[in-house]
Amino acid sequence: MSLIKWSEEGGEVRLGLPGDLDLPMAQPLLDSLRHALSAGGGVAVLADGVERVSTASVQALLVASRAAAEAGVRFAILRPSEVLVETCDDLGLAGWLNRWSQT
């Protein structure tokens, strides 16, 4: 059972992230993102509840954003938590997060 919540709204897949995106969650996150992107509509990642995040999970989000851009599919990270924002900043990815995030 995945801790990532999946719903569809108006042709867009919404993925609700769990509070803990530690290293073991990176692969399920990547799998969920790939599956969502394969649906062909937009993908919105609800990230306001993220309290802990690994570099590998940030990499999964980065891979998904690039795949979405290449496929011409809408991708957004909605309401990124302070922890996610700080982690991306620490990794030098603040610009990337700003490009893909929406409040």
Side-chain angles (χ1 to χ4, degrees):
M1 177 175 155
S2 177
L3 299 173
I4 300 168
K5 297 179 178 122
W6 176 291
S7 64
E8 292 185 48
E9 188 175 306
E12 179 177 79
V13 173
R14 291 184 170 247
L15 297 176
L17 301 183
D20 194 354
L21 282 178
D22 58 2
L23 185 57
M25 281 300 298
Q27 189 62 53
L29 174 60
L30 184 58
D31 293 343
S32 294
L33 289 163
R34 284 181 175 156
H35 185 67
L37 287 168
S38 73
V43 176
V45 179
L46 306 171
D48 55 345
V50 175
E51 297 173 0
R52 195 173 108 166
V53 61
S54 68
T55 301
S57 292
V58 172
Q59 288 174 318
L61 292 167
L62 182 64
V63 166
S65 69
R66 288 188 177 169
E70 289 173 5
V73 175
R74 180 185 177 285
F75 180 84
I77 300 173
L78 305 178
R79 299 181 306 274
S81 70
E82 186 175 326
V83 169
L84 182 56
V85 170
E86 288 173 0
T87 300
C88 287
D89 189 44
D90 290 347
L91 295 170
L93 296 172
W96 165 82
L97 184 61
N98 286 335
R99 177 179 176 202
W100 297 103
S101 67
Q102 297 177 1
T103 55

